[in-house]
């Protein structure tokens, strides 16, 4: 079923998330569960009473991890939620105020991932959670403005570089960021 595959991709194979989503199969179709997960991680909640509190929902798991972060790490992680499809260290520094030690700490705590090219990304469910925290903190517009300004400057620089000796490198960079 395509809905099941999409759901597993959406939660990126997290066993607890799949198990929590599966509890809803008896009352709604997989396609509807998937739409619910896309909209909010609150559907990923157990209605079973014999589950430990920290495993009753994905929100409980994320809340536990959130409380282990310093105030600075929380702020950076909130602001990183504005990215779609990953980001570079430079972009994270300029948009979210992320230093290399902070990025390393968030990677060590499994809140960020780094790919072989050196790009970072955030799991979709964690990104939803961080976007909520960003809105709660009243920082969403500022973070979005910083994101817009950074990528506007990036595009302007790329436009100039497209006619230079590093044209192919810039085409690759621009495609990746797009």
């Amino acid at each position: 079923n395509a809905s099941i595959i999409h759901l597993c991709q959406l939660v990126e194979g997290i066993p607890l998330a799949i198990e929590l989503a599966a509890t809803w199969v008896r009352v709604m179709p997989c396609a509807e569960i998937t739409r619910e997960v896309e909209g909010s991680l609150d559907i990923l909640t157990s209605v079973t009473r014999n589950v430990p509190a920290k495993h009753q929902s994905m929100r409980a798991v994320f809340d536990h991890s959130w409380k282990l972060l310093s105030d600075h790490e929380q702020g950076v992680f909130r602001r990183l939620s504005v990215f779609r499809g990953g980001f570079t260290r430079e972009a994270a520094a300029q948009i979210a105020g992320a230093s290399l030690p902070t990025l390393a700490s968030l990677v060590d705590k499994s809140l960020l991932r780094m790919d072989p090219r050196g790009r970072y990304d955030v799991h979709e469910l964690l990104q939803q959670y961080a976007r909520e925290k960003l809105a709660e903190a009243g920082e969403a517009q500022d973070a979005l403005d910083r994101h817009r300004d950074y990528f506007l400057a990036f595009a302007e620089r790329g436009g100039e570089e497209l006619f230079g000796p590093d044209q192919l490198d810039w085409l690759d960079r621009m495609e990746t960021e797009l």
Side-chain angles (χ1 to χ4, degrees):
N1 183 320
S3 296
I4 295 171
I5 292 169
H6 181 62
L7 177 63
C8 290
Q9 290 170 336
L10 186 63
V11 300
E12 295 183 24
I14 296 175
L16 179 60
I18 293 169
E19 188 175 326
L20 292 171
T23 65
W24 296 103
V25 171
R26 71 188 191 297
V27 293
M28 70 177 94
C30 290
E32 193 172 331
I33 295 169
T34 301
R35 281 193 299 277
E36 290 286 333
V37 171
E38 288 173 331
S40 171
L41 61 92
D42 287 328
I43 189 72
L44 298 176
T45 303
S46 175
V47 290
T48 308
R49 295 177 191 250
N50 62 351
V51 176
K54 67 180 183 178
H55 291 154
Q56 287 183 346
S57 71
M58 290 307 297
R59 182 170 303 284
V61 171
F62 295 160
D63 283 342
H64 176 75
S65 295
W66 182 257
K67 290 174 187 169
L68 299 176
L69 299 177
S70 69
D71 289 344
H72 176 71
E73 289 170 326
Q74 288 178 358
V76 167
F77 191 64
R78 280 192 307 262
R79 291 184 294 273
L80 290 174
S81 72
V82 299
F83 289 100
R84 300 290 181 268
F87 50 90
T88 63
R89 182 174 136 198
E90 175 189 347
Q94 289 191 23
I95 295 168
S99 65
L100 186 56
T102 303
L103 290 172
S105 178
L106 293 172
V107 168
D108 290 344
K109 294 173 182 175
S110 300
L111 297 173
L112 290 182
R113 299 175 290 210
M114 189 181 78
D115 70 20
R117 300 172 300 161
R119 289 182 62 81
Y120 297 89
D121 79 342
V122 180
H123 186 286
E124 175 62 30
L125 295 179
L126 282 167
Q127 192 172 36
Q128 276 186 31
Y129 182 84
R131 276 193 305 262
E132 290 173 9
K133 293 293 187 183
L134 186 68
E136 287 172 14
E139 300 173 343
Q141 193 58 56
D142 180 59
L144 290 168
D145 289 347
R146 288 171 164 259
H147 185 270
R148 177 204 60 219
D149 294 344
Y150 175 83
F151 282 103
L152 179 60
F154 175 83
E156 288 171 348
R157 182 173 171 211
E160 295 167 8
E161 296 288 340
L162 285 177
F163 299 104
D166 297 327
Q167 180 183 37
L168 293 178
D169 290 338
W170 270 94
L171 282 172
D172 286 343
R173 286 183 68 187
M174 291 180 88
E175 184 177 346
T176 298
E177 293 303 339
L178 184 59

